[in-house]
Amino acid sequence: MKKEQRYIEIMDTTLRDGEQTSGVSFSASEKLTIAQLLLTEVQVDRIEIASARVSEGEFQAVKKITDWAASNGYLERVEVLTFVDGDTSVQWMEKAGAKVMNLLTKGSLNHLTHQLKKTPKQHFDEIAAVIALAKQKGLECNVYLEDWSNGMRNSKEYVLQYLDFLQAQPVKRILLPDTLGVLVPSEAFVYVSELVNRYPEIHFDFHAHNDYDLGTANVLEAVKAGARGIHLTVNGMGERAGNAPLASAIAVLNDYVKDVRTSVIEKSLYSVSKLVEAFSGFRIPVNKPVVGENVFTQTAGIHADGDKKNNLYYNELMPERFGRQRKYALGKTSGKANIENNLQELGIQLSDADLKKVTQRIIELGDRKEVVTQADLPYIISDVLDSNTIEEKVQFENYVLTHSKNLRPSVTLKVTINGESFEEHAQGDGQYDAFMNALKKVYKQKKMELPLLIDYAVRIPPGGKSDALCETIITWEYADKEFKTRGLDSDQTVAAIKATQKMLNLIK
């Protein structure tokens, strides 16, 4: 018989601990939107949304969320950090309409002695009074053991004395934070195991910080050790180096701890990540696991080739799980397989000879522009195939484009026509106009006539990126006939110059 999976509660604390990220402050409406998405789409079990007593704005944000949660059956899943402060936090909770308090207490003798300057008995008596008042007011209580990880390292007797006291109190969960992010995975496993074995009836949550970049690894070990819940944040937001990230932790648990399950919907992780990124202004690194822009992008051609040959580079971390798609980047490390994959998605087929030319052009562009996008590809193909048939007897050897405030743009141009070199300087109403004026001087010396420019159009691929390749299409009139030439470059003026060079080689 298949062993029944152990259920792990996921508590997201983006709106409380995550908001302690330096420079981040969500508005009340943003908090409500994130809370709704986390509970209804991502389907985490619980959310911690604020600290009591912080500000009037925080109170109003909590009130918005609790009003919505009460109307939609989520109120028991909304939690607020509270303090050992007599009846102050409890009254705040009542006014805000919240029902679950996470009471912040001292989980190490060092914090208790030097911050509170109290004995364990004094602290426990004050905690018992707050818990009793909360119960009287109909509030559910969980208890944080702040600095628990250092408590286990340096004052374990105090931690065990405290837990002996707490197991007799009417609390639902005990929350074990690695407050300073100091645990290594082996310690996370040993410390959580010890408490789970000693207090099998207690529901322990583990709360990881990421100061050594071990947050996700510590979550993995805590769950293996028997923790019943874990605390995470979207994009790993949080104080200092942040908290264990929601997306990474869920992916690791799903793939490497098969005997546990969570309620989280993987396909919603990317959308909530992007929403929190937008609201917080806290940018996600492009290489951040699961949610970063580059993590499902193959750049090396050998990997793209391997994907076509029996999935040689396959692993469990497939983009479709998270509502994403595999991409094949185009740049100087691209091989033919990368380009073929992109062409296939666009429905384009090229001959081997043309594919080789396009590949070479992408490599050349990649030397100047780090990544060429799939949207750039049709423009590159057009430019390459258009250039194949033109014999280049006119070449722009060099040019300097100058644009200065309150001065007319100017160009210095060196051009070779049938092996003969010319150099001219001119000004104009724009850089391209200055370029054409310099070119006209050269052609005047040669007693040659230039075509008339009829139309000038610029196209860029969709997406609006400032580094996109742009295609300049110029319509000319020469000998009573109209024709078009195209130029491609990340610089619009350079693209126009390339289109002009093609024109000159067509009319000679």
Side-chain angles (χ1 to χ4, degrees):
M1 290 178 64
K2 188 177 179 181
K3 186 179 176 183
E4 187 177 348
Q5 291 178 302
R6 180 164 60 94
Y7 188 78
I8 304 297
E9 285 187 359
I10 305 299
M11 193 269 265
D12 183 283
T13 183
T14 304
L15 297 177
R16 198 278 298 174
D17 218 3
E19 198 182 29
Q20 290 177 199
T21 304
S22 179
V24 171
S25 179
F26 297 114
S27 69
S29 59
E30 287 171 342
K31 276 200 165 193
L32 176 59
T33 301
I34 294 168
Q36 291 170 332
L37 187 58
L38 285 168
L39 288 172
T40 63
E41 299 294 327
V42 184
Q43 296 187 20
V44 298
D45 297 280
R46 300 143 48 205
I47 56 173
E48 189 176 45
I49 61 171
S51 299
R53 309 176 353 208
V54 169
S55 67
E56 179 60 25
E58 193 82 328
F59 175 83
Q60 294 302 330
V62 172
K63 194 77 177 70
K64 268 181 178 272
I65 294 171
T66 56
D67 286 349
W68 169 81
S71 300
N72 292 274
Y74 291 106
L75 193 56
E76 302 302 320
R77 294 164 63 178
V78 175
E79 303 173 8
V80 174
L81 184 76
T82 59
F83 308 96
V84 183
D85 54 8
D87 64 355
T88 306
S89 287
V90 172
Q91 287 184 3
W92 192 96
M93 291 279 291
E94 284 190 294
K95 290 176 185 174
K99 290 292 184 184
V100 184
M101 58 188 280
N102 294 337
L103 186 63
L104 186 67
T105 69
K106 296 304 178 185
S108 72
L109 193 59
N110 188 42
H111 270 221
L112 177 64
T113 304
H114 296 287
Q115 191 172 48
L116 295 188
K117 295 182 170 52
K118 292 181 179 177
T119 66
K121 184 178 186 311
Q122 288 174 315
H123 193 37
F124 299 166
D125 286 347
E126 292 174 351
I127 292 166
V130 173
I131 292 172
L133 181 60
K135 185 179 181 183
Q136 181 187 330
K137 299 293 185 180
L139 303 179
E140 186 177 283
C141 189
N142 304 315
V143 179
Y144 266 115
L145 275 61
E146 186 180 16
D147 200 38
W148 163 81
S149 48
N150 274 318
M152 290 296 286
R153 271 182 179 174
N154 306 311
S155 54
K156 188 185 294 184
E157 285 185 8
Y158 165 74
V159 175
L160 299 179
Q161 179 190 3
Y162 186 13
L163 290 171
D164 287 343
F165 156 74
L166 279 179
Q167 71 175 340
Q169 296 294 316
V171 298
K172 186 165 185 179
R173 305 174 186 89
I174 293 176
L175 320 176
L176 308 174
D178 181 15
T179 304
L180 300 177
V182 296
L183 291 182
V184 296
S186 58
E187 288 178 304
F189 182 83
V190 168
Y191 294 159
V192 173
S193 292
E194 185 171 347
L195 299 190
V196 167
N197 291 331
R198 185 182 175 106
Y199 306 98
E201 301 304 315
I202 293 179
H203 175 119
F204 288 110
D205 276 6
F206 180 70
H207 178 113
H209 279 262
N210 207 32
D211 295 68
Y212 284 95
D213 207 15
L214 292 171
T216 303
N218 286 337
V219 162
L220 177 66
E221 293 304 308
V223 169
K224 286 180 178 179
R228 297 189 196 178
I230 51 175
H231 298 183
L232 306 166
T233 63
V234 177
N235 299 336
M237 291 178 64
E239 204 165 15
R240 306 182 314 277
N243 294 35
L246 175 66
S248 299
I250 293 301
V252 165
L253 293 181
N254 286 343
D255 289 352
Y256 292 102
V257 195
K258 298 295 187 183
D259 63 337
V260 305
R261 62 186 176 88
T262 75
S263 60
V264 171
I265 306 300
E266 283 188 331
K267 282 200 172 180
S268 298
L269 292 171
Y270 182 64
S271 58
V272 76
S273 168
K274 298 304 287 183
L275 181 77
V276 170
E277 179 184 42
F279 284 173
S280 66
F282 181 72
R283 297 301 170 208
I284 306 167
V286 295
N287 62 340
K288 189 168 184 64
V290 181
V291 295
E293 284 305 304
N294 287 356
V295 297
F296 297 117
T297 300
Q298 303 279 35
T299 301
I302 189 171
H303 292 159
D305 184 58
D307 284 346
K308 295 172 68 176
K309 295 175 178 175
N310 201 37
N311 283 327
L312 297 181
Y313 294 92
Y314 169 87
N315 68 17
E316 295 276 351
L317 212 58
M318 299 299 286
E320 292 78 12
R321 285 170 53 181
F322 310 100
R324 305 191 62 187
Q325 223 178 359
R326 177 81 66 206
K327 295 179 182 176
Y328 296 92
L330 299 166
K332 62 184 179 182
T333 60
S334 295
K336 189 173 75 167
N338 252 16
I339 295 164
E340 282 182 319
N341 282 330
N342 279 277
L343 289 172
Q344 189 174 4
E345 287 183 22
L346 292 170
I348 297 172
Q349 285 189 319
L350 293 178
S351 67
D352 286 344
D354 287 341
L355 181 60
K356 188 175 181 180
K357 291 169 187 170
V358 169
T359 302
Q360 187 56 40
R361 179 62 61 87
I362 288 170
I363 291 169
E364 290 167 6
L365 289 167
D367 280 331
R368 293 162 33 219
K369 179 178 181 277
E370 189 174 340
V371 175
V372 179
T373 69
Q374 186 185 88
D376 292 325
L377 203 48
Y379 297 82
I380 295 169
I381 293 168
S382 173
D383 180 59
V384 169
L385 301 188
D386 188 39
S387 302
N388 285 345
T389 58
I390 301 173
E391 185 184 0
E392 294 193 346
K393 292 191 176 180
V394 179
Q395 291 185 321
F396 298 137
E397 299 292 342
N398 216 332
Y399 48 83
V400 177
L401 311 173
T402 306
H403 192 100
S404 304
K405 186 178 179 181
N406 297 326
L407 294 173
R408 295 185 77 200
S410 64
V411 168
T412 300
L413 168 67
K414 183 178 181 182
V415 58
T416 301
I417 304 173
N418 292 322
E420 186 180 2
S421 288
F422 301 86
E423 187 173 318
E424 287 292 346
H425 177 84
Q427 292 180 305
D429 292 330
Q431 288 184 325
Y432 184 65
D433 184 52
F435 177 87
M436 289 301 292
N437 288 340
L439 185 63
K440 286 172 185 174
K441 288 183 179 182
V442 171
Y443 271 68
K444 189 174 182 180
Q445 290 180 52
K446 292 284 292 179
K447 295 184 171 48
M448 295 171 66
E449 186 181 349
L450 285 174
L452 183 65
L453 192 154
I454 300 295
D455 188 45
Y456 180 108
V458 177
R459 298 192 305 177
I460 64 169
K465 291 186 177 180
S466 60
D467 66 346
L469 289 171
C470 66
E471 183 181 48
T472 303
I473 306 162
I474 304 179
T475 305
W476 311 91
E477 185 180 289
Y478 187 72
D480 297 324
K481 290 183 180 179
E482 286 188 8
F483 65 99
K484 295 180 180 180
T485 56
R486 294 176 173 82
L488 188 74
D489 199 88
S490 54
D491 183 285
Q492 178 182 323
T493 305
V494 175
I497 290 170
K498 288 181 176 180
T500 304
Q501 180 170 314
K502 287 181 183 177
M503 172 272 292
L504 295 173
N505 283 293
L506 284 171
I507 65 166
K508 53 172 183 47

